[in-house]
Structures are given as C-alpha cells and as structure tokens.
Amino acid sequence: MNPVRPWRTGRDRSGEPRTILAVRRSAVVVLVCLAAAVAIAVTALAVTPRAAVAPDAERSPAVAESTTVAPSSADVGAGGAASAEPASATAPPPPEASKEAGGDTSNSAPTPTAAAESAIVRGSVDRTSLALTATYTVRATLGWSDRRLRVATTIHVRNTSGGGIDRLELNTVAARLGSMRLGTVTVDGTRRRATVSDQTITVPLGGVLPARASTVIRVAYAATLRSTVAGTTWLFTQANGIVGAYRWIPWISRATSFDRPNHGDPFVTPVSPDITVTIASDRVLRYATTGVRVLTSVDGRSQTFHATNVRDFVLTAAPDYRWLTATVGRTTVRVAYRPGAPASAMLAAARRAIRRMSALLVPYPYRIYTVAQSPGGFGMEGPQIAWIPTGIAAANVAYLVTHETAHQWFYGLVGNDQSRQPWVDEAAADFLARYVLASRRSSRCAQGRLDLTIYRYPSTCYYEVVYIQGGNLIDDLRRRLGSTLFWTTMREYVVAHRYGLVGNTTLLDALDAASPRDLSRVYRSRFPSAY
C-alpha cells in the first residue's frame, strides 16, 4: 500500500508575522472544537467491533514455514511406519485467483506499472544468461477430471550475470507435451509479446536489464496433461491413477531442443533460492513434490509448498497415495505409492542410498527426500524427489532408486547442462550408485566418446556409453588415486560447485590436479574436444 502523506498540524514559526489577538482567539476556539470532535471519534472507534480480517491468500515463505506441523511418530519412524499421508499445516483456502494471477489465457493486458518502477533501460544487447538469480511464485489449478492444468508464474529476476540482458529464455515441457496455450506475459507490469519455439518461451524485456538490476516477469499458460506413458509423454501425464508433471514451471534456461534419439534429459536449470507453489484441484489429492508442504485449505483441495535451493519443482499426485516413512539422521525419507507398488523395497533402497552417499560425499542437504511412484516411463530425478515408474520389476528397484538418489548430488547439488554434457551427471550418478551397491559391470557397447551431446548418441548405446563407460572411467580414476584421496577430492568438488553449474571437464580437472600423475592422456581418447 502506498504511504499517504500525513497532514501537517504544527505552525511555521520561522518568521511568521504577528496577528491580531481576536484572530488568535478564534483559532484557539477552532482547535479546541476539532480536538473534541477527534476525541468523540476515537471513543466511537474503540467501542465499535472491528470487522474480521481475511487471512492472506499467500504467506511469505518465512511465515508459511513457521506453520508446518512436524510429522507425528505415527508418520515417521526408524522402522518405516505406514500412514495415509504425512501431517501438514492447515489454513483457510486462498481466494480465487484473479485472471492475471490465476492463469488467464486471454489477450487482455494487465494494468502496466509506472515506468519509473522498472530498471529496464532502452537498447538491445542480443543476450540472455543462465547466471541469473530468480525466485518463483506459482499458482496452479489442476483438473483431475479433465487433465487440464492452468499455471501462473511470477519470477523475480536479479541480473547477476555481470552484463546486460534483453530477453529471458524459459523452458517448460508443457510447450511440447501439453498443447500449451500461452496467456498473458508481462515484464514489470507491461505486457510483452513472448514467443514459443520448441520447449522454450522467449520473453523480450523491452530493453536492457543492466547488471545487478531486477525485474518481475509474469507468465500464464494453460495445458492438457497427456493420458499415456508412451514415448516421452510420461513426463507430463495423468495415467495409471497418478499425475506426473516434470519441468512444468517456466524456468530460466536456454533454448534447448526437446527431441533427441535416446532417453537423455534435454534440460539445463540453474538453482532458484526460493520457490512457492500453490496447487488447487477439483478433488482432494495427495501430493509427492519437491519441497515441504506449508499450507492446506480446510477442504483439502488447495495446498501450498515451499522449497529453497532447487533446480525445478517436480509434481506428482494421486487420490490414493499411501506413505511409508523412515528417518536417516535428520532427513525424513518417505515413499509415496499406490496399492501394489514395492514400497518397502523402495524405502529400504532410499534409506541405504541417503546414508551411504551422505557419508561418502556431503550430507544430503534437505529435510525430506521423497521416492514417488510415477505414472510410468523411466526413473527420473528431481530436487528432493525421485520418480520410480509404475510397473517396475522387483529386481530393478534397488538399482533404480539408488541411481536416482545419486542424482541428488550430481545434478541436484552440482548441476550441469544435461542436454549438452550428459556424462557430467549421468556418469557420476551411475558410478556412485554402483559403488554403493558394489555392482560395477562392463559395457555392452564398443568404447565411445564421452564429450558428445545427447543429440549425437544413438538410443542403442546411449546408456552403455554415457552411464556404464562414463561411470567405469570415474571408478578407474578412483583406483589410480586411491580411495582416500579420491573421495576427498570428490567432496571438495561438491562443496566448491554446490548449487552451481559445471562443464564437461570440471571434475576431470579436479581429479587431475589432485593426482601425482598426469591424467590428461587418460582423458584424451574419451574427450577429444577438450584434451
């Protein structure tokens, strides 16, 4: 609310001319009358009941976090107690969102903010960047009955790239898989004509955002979830009684092709220090997501989640999710599953992975780790969550849960461009998983390069080259350095690049620097573009 300038009641005593006595007496009488009137008004207000104040529709993260109810002993136990759903805070439901906040897809422009409030200056630089600091506030409506998803995202962006930018490139799979209808897009309250190409929404800023300056972007869209898990549709679908939405929030990224000849991840996402997501649905759902639930409406149909230092917000939901929970140190490990899923095996694998990997590297950094039964397709990592597909064979549970858990460190903590440098996270995660499980094996494909993008690997050997051969290379380096020096170097690598983005050779260079021997000759045949 804009401050209102108070009335000035004092007299100007600097050089005021003397007035006649009668005028002064008249002024005194007027002031006395005014004082009496004010006293009567104050008395009336004191005895008049105040109108009820409606609760805030959205709390700030600090306030919302304080309302969280800790899981009860029935929900969390060392042995893994089952429950219907973890405990959470409750609060009155947020009011219906306005068209701007609730995902209006019409072409009506919102009222623009005064130009003086925008830090954007005239000009162009033909530049964007991943090195931006952005927080996200998301309001979504999810239709279980019709698979419709409406999303309104507010992004507060600070340009920490060191140079000016004149556009943002936001990626979301809804553009490729959800028949996305882009709605109103504004920059500092002024509507901008955004364009959609592949999975990228390009938002022109209308000028240049200088280094260290900030802007507010609002993007609304409507989409429809798929109903199968064929091909890549499992990333954005409602199937087998579960909603699964991956990379559904328009997130700062760079233009990246979604199509690829394998199951590689066509994503790159910098960390956001803060994200709040409110989801309203047409029926009560149980959610397995990134972050912590901080608010639930009285009727259970609206829930709010909050997360810090994450690269995405993964959404999974089902009306009949059940929960199995356990604790590992200060971390609550939980499994969200439907009847018939191998929940006990999923929980056991997750507990072992969190415990062993935290000891080898650095402690898992979040309060909660969720392993969720997903609609199907492939296993998939996300911040604070892993997807295990419906119908997974029992023999594959331990490996898949362990591999996806390893991504909490390699992709989650230490990030990379997964489309252009897939070996960085996939090889490291697979090495870590197989080291914990003592399950190293040989590749079933001929030795290949490890410095290619996902777009250049055939589907037949993508896994065997990037995961198996890449992981075995890291394990060979462990043997060369010795386990003590190797793990010390790995811990330093994670700490040095925590919540950052690294390149193809960052880990290799760190290991080479720690080794008494020159390792560049070992790297040359596998990374010919760099060595």
Side-chain angles (χ1 to χ4, degrees):
M1 185 167 58
N2 291 327
V4 178
R5 185 185 299 274
W7 291 105
R8 292 188 296 171
T9 57
R11 293 181 298 168
D12 185 3
R13 298 184 180 182
S14 57
E16 179 185 7
R18 187 180 298 274
T19 57
I20 62 175
L21 181 62
V23 173
R24 287 187 174 183
R25 287 178 177 174
S26 298
V28 170
V29 170
V30 171
L31 290 173
V32 169
C33 293
L34 286 173
V38 170
I40 293 171
V42 170
T43 303
L45 287 173
V47 299
T48 302
R50 295 183 64 189
V53 179
D56 291 340
E58 291 182 339
R59 301 186 180 186
S60 67
V63 174
E65 187 70 30
S66 68
T67 65
T68 302
V69 178
S72 67
S73 58
D75 296 322
V76 179
S83 64
E85 188 170 12
S88 65
T90 57
E96 286 293 317
S98 65
K99 285 187 176 182
E100 179 184 353
D104 178 34
T105 59
S106 70
N107 290 323
S108 58
T111 302
T113 307
E117 296 182 11
S118 178
I120 295 171
V121 297
R122 292 182 179 180
S124 63
V125 291
D126 191 23
R127 180 177 182 269
T128 188
S129 177
L130 293 173
L132 308 174
T133 301
T135 64
Y136 299 78
T137 302
V138 182
R139 296 178 65 87
T141 58
L142 172 61
W144 179 267
S145 60
D146 58 12
R147 308 194 321 276
R148 292 183 180 177
L149 181 67
R150 298 172 67 88
V151 180
T153 303
T154 300
I155 313 172
H156 291 259
V157 181
R158 178 173 169 78
N159 183 1
T160 47
S161 71
I165 60 171
D166 58 7
R167 69 181 184 275
L168 294 181
E169 293 174 352
L170 312 175
N171 281 4
T172 171
V173 303
R176 286 300 308 271
L177 299 178
S179 300
M180 186 184 76
R181 286 83 69 196
L182 187 63
T184 299
V185 176
T186 65
V187 177
D188 291 333
T190 299
R191 183 174 176 179
R192 298 297 177 193
R193 188 178 297 278
T195 58
V196 179
S197 177
D198 205 302
Q199 63 171 326
T200 302
I201 303 170
T202 300
V203 181
L205 300 182
V208 176
L209 183 68
R212 298 183 299 280
S214 299
T215 186
V216 179
I217 313 297
R218 290 185 171 87
V219 179
Y221 79 75
T224 303
L225 295 164
R226 296 294 187 96
S227 58
T228 72
V229 296
T232 58
T233 62
W234 57 275
L235 291 166
F236 193 78
T237 194
Q238 179 179 325
N240 294 317
I242 302 171
V243 162
Y246 192 89
R247 292 292 301 108
W248 59 284
I249 297 173
W251 202 277
I252 287 177
S253 186
R254 63 167 62 133
T256 301
S257 175
F258 183 77
D259 292 333
R260 63 278 188 207
N262 46 56
H263 61 273
D265 301 332
F267 311 119
V268 52
T269 50
V271 160
S272 169
D274 192 275
I275 177 170
T276 300
V277 177
T278 298
I279 308 168
S281 56
D282 57 356
R283 63 171 298 175
V284 176
L285 296 173
R286 296 173 178 172
Y287 292 93
T289 69
T290 299
V292 178
R293 185 177 58 188
V294 294
L295 292 173
T296 303
S297 65
V298 173
D299 64 4
R301 294 187 179 184
S302 177
Q303 300 186 34
T304 298
F305 303 86
H306 179 244
T308 58
N309 296 323
V310 295
R311 299 184 188 279
D312 190 15
F313 184 95
V314 176
L315 167 62
T316 333
D320 58 349
Y321 262 155
R322 299 179 181 181
W323 296 90
L324 202 60
T325 62
T327 55
V328 177
R330 297 181 179 180
T331 300
T332 299
V333 180
R334 60 185 190 176
V335 173
Y337 68 100
R338 299 191 66 221
S344 295
M346 292 161 66
L347 181 64
R351 291 178 63 190
R352 178 180 59 242
I354 290 289
R355 183 177 62 253
R356 290 289 310 281
M357 293 172 187
S358 293
L360 289 167
L361 295 167
V362 299
Y364 176 76
Y366 306 109
R367 290 172 46 193
I368 293 175
Y369 177 53
T370 302
V371 178
Q373 178 185 352
S374 68
F378 291 87
M380 194 65 178
E381 72 275 11
Q384 302 174 248
I385 189 171
W387 277 0
I388 304 301
T390 294
I392 183 175
N396 295 335
V397 170
Y399 165 74
L400 194 56
V401 171
T402 306
H403 175 92
E404 302 306 338
T405 303
H407 275 299
Q408 298 302 311
W409 283 265
F410 301 116
Y411 152 81
L413 279 178
V414 181
N416 63 292
D417 188 329
Q418 295 174 286
S419 65
R420 296 167 178 86
Q421 303 155 343
W423 107 276
V424 175
D425 67 300
E426 293 297 0
D430 209 62
F431 155 73
L432 183 58
R434 292 184 181 278
Y435 184 85
V436 167
L437 296 171
S439 63
R440 172 171 170 153
R441 71 164 176 82
S442 299
S443 173
R444 297 175 183 133
C445 286
Q447 180 172 299
R449 291 175 57 174
L450 295 172
D451 58 350
L452 302 180
T453 70
I454 61 173
Y455 311 106
R456 295 183 61 186
Y457 288 103
S459 61
T460 52
C461 283
Y462 175 70
Y463 177 84
E464 292 297 320
V465 172
V466 174
Y467 291 58
I468 300 300
Q469 293 182 24
N472 287 348
L473 173 64
I474 297 174
D475 193 43
D476 291 341
L477 295 173
R478 177 189 65 83
R479 294 175 179 180
R480 283 175 177 264
L481 270 67
S483 285
T484 300
L485 179 57
F486 173 83
W487 287 113
T488 298
T489 305
M490 292 294 286
R491 283 189 289 272
E492 293 172 349
Y493 167 75
V494 172
V495 170
H497 302 288
R498 186 185 184 100
Y499 302 130
L501 292 169
V502 300
N504 253 351
T505 65
T506 310
L507 175 58
L508 299 175
D509 293 343
L511 294 171
D512 186 37
S515 173
R517 303 175 182 176
D518 181 9
L519 299 178
S520 60
R521 290 185 299 174
V522 178
Y523 303 156
R524 196 164 296 134
S525 64
R526 312 308 297 276
F527 299 87
S529 63
Y531 296 97

